[in-house]
Amino acid sequence: MAITVVGSVAFDSIETPAGRRERCLGGAATYFSLAASYFTDVRVIAVVGEDFGADEEAVFQARGIDTRGIERAAGKSFFWEGSYLDNLNEAKTHATELNVFGSFAPKIPEAYGDSQFLFLANIDPVLQRRVREAMPQARLVAGDTMNYWIKDHRAALLEVLKGLDILLINDTEARMLAGNNNLLQAAHAVLTMGPRMLVVKHGEYGATLFHGSAANVKSGERTFRAPALPLEEVVDPTGAGDSFAGGFFGYLASQAELTPGAFRRAMFYGSVMGSFAVQRFGTERLQQLSRDEIDHRFTLFRELTHLD
Ligand code: AMP
């Protein structure tokens, strides 16, 4: 099953304890689609500027990602600058320049019309909603967001949440969205806002899936936790969450049936893709993986948590 994703395609300047990189290819939709491309066909909707050249395009092409929905506009691409000098689990944002995203009106190529899976990666919730409404055929819709939209664009975001099956956010965002510091209570509150399932990402500590009725969630009954792989070195955490989402949703799209077991395995594949993403700067590691390497790491995760 093909996935259509809308989100930022960007240039990022990043500083971590391992070094600094200027204007490397980034963006939520970029990390998501690279990670998902190891599991299924991926189609991107985004806008880029004149600074997006053949080298950047080649990164998508090499993974067979459909870029017909990436519009080229006059001006500069989305730009983000961040650092992780104090805390590898949380980016400090120094600059966000929307540039061509500021006036983006998403156009969905006809060829994307049969996508059964839709992922609304991190971008203005107004754009997420427009794409959701333009793709009513999507059978499973998941999405992400960030503190910026939760704080300053709450009304638009709440509209998006109503149309989601699955929301994937990190724990700070879940607590902020719910206005509650207790994770279970926050999950319960978020599940009343629209999504049937909530995946809360805990950075280097893994991710938790909450689903079912509010009562189930409160008792911890419908909760599943996948670990993150302990790594000797985290070079660059940028895109870990989007790569998790790409592995998670890509794996689901590759399954004939969406059983509870498929969701549990998807949580592990999400963790696998997140663990690769952080081992090099930018999208470097995600560009050069093989399915064998991915499956080998999946078995490491199994061993990490196996009881008998
Ligand atoms: P993550 O580390 O998974 O949360 O995502 C990092 C990516 O999000 C970077 O590549 C940025 O280009 C992108 N990003 C940062 N801020 C925003 C924003 N306000 N809207 C959309 N994408 C963003």
Side-chain angles (χ1 to χ4, degrees):
M1 295 284 184
I3 298 176
T4 287
V5 52
V6 61
S8 53
V9 171
F11 286 101
D12 293 343
S13 289
I14 303 162
E15 190 168 9
T16 82
R20 191 176 165 90
R21 291 287 184 282
E22 303 297 336
R23 295 186 59 78
C24 53
L25 176 64
T30 306
Y31 283 101
F32 175 91
S33 44
L34 287 171
S37 71
Y38 290 93
F39 300 90
T40 193
D41 291 339
V42 184
R43 302 152 168 179
V44 188
I45 300 169
V47 61
V48 292
E50 290 144 330
D51 46 4
F52 186 90
D55 288 352
E56 287 76 29
E57 175 73 30
V59 171
F60 290 87
Q61 297 297 338
R63 292 294 320 140
I65 297 164
D66 196 330
T67 57
R68 282 176 289 180
I70 301 187
E71 186 187 328
R72 276 128 209 287
K76 281 164 75 179
S77 300
F78 186 105
F79 173 73
W80 177 76
E81 184 176 348
S83 67
Y84 304 83
L85 297 178
D86 302 328
N87 179 0
L88 273 174
N89 260 328
E90 207 163 305
K92 192 164 175 210
T93 293
H94 301 291
T96 302
E97 295 171 14
L98 286 181
N99 296 328
V100 291
F101 261 104
S103 53
F104 180 45
K107 291 173 211 66
I108 298 156
E110 245 180 70
Y112 289 16
D114 61 353
S115 302
Q116 302 260 333
F117 284 68
L118 175 62
F119 191 76
L120 309 174
N122 182 20
I123 197 65
D124 186 337
V126 170
L127 299 176
Q128 291 180 314
R129 185 168 168 210
R130 263 191 230 153
V131 172
R132 171 66 187 108
E133 283 172 356
M135 302 199 73
Q137 83 298 334
R139 177 159 80 86
L140 197 71
V141 186
D144 188 4
T145 190
M146 69 182 294
N147 50 10
Y148 174 70
W149 309 113
I150 296 172
K151 263 206 313 247
D152 299 338
H153 298 255
R154 190 174 175 89
L157 180 62
L158 290 177
E159 284 306 310
V160 172
L161 296 185
K162 289 183 195 159
L164 284 190
D165 296 299
I166 311 171
L167 175 68
L168 295 97
I169 47 181
N170 69 34
D171 33 28
T172 315
E173 293 157 354
R175 292 181 166 108
M176 188 189 273
L177 179 59
N180 191 322
N181 269 331
N182 176 281
L183 189 63
L184 267 188
Q185 290 178 18
H188 170 215
V190 171
L191 286 172
T192 62
M193 297 176 187
R196 292 189 286 122
M197 291 188 194
L198 169 69
V199 176
V200 179
K201 298 167 283 181
H202 313 291
E204 63 175 314
Y205 305 111
T208 311
L209 171 70
F210 298 95
H211 64 120
S213 70
N216 292 145
V217 169
K218 269 192 165 164
S219 68
E221 204 180 304
R222 298 282 193 98
T223 304
F224 179 71
R225 166 79 54 96
L229 193 68
L231 293 168
E232 264 188 36
E233 195 187 16
V234 172
V235 172
D236 172 16
T238 311
D242 306 309
S243 307
F244 178 99
F248 174 84
F249 212 49
Y251 178 76
L252 287 177
S254 74
Q255 295 301 289
E257 259 191 276
L258 295 180
T259 59
F263 280 96
R264 288 171 172 243
R265 286 191 299 278
M267 290 289 288
F268 276 68
Y269 275 108
S271 294
V272 165
M273 300 314 286
S275 76
F276 280 122
V278 303
Q279 288 187 298
R280 300 263 191 288
F281 269 102
T283 58
E284 244 172 72
R285 188 72 180 102
L286 289 183
Q287 290 176 38
Q288 288 155 357
L289 284 168
S290 69
R291 192 53 204 254
D292 274 356
E293 284 175 296
I294 292 169
D295 287 331
H296 174 68
R297 193 161 284 190
F298 184 82
T299 60
L300 291 184
F301 271 87
R302 281 203 121 120
E303 284 161 16
L304 192 67
T305 50
H306 204 76
L307 271 181
D308 301 305

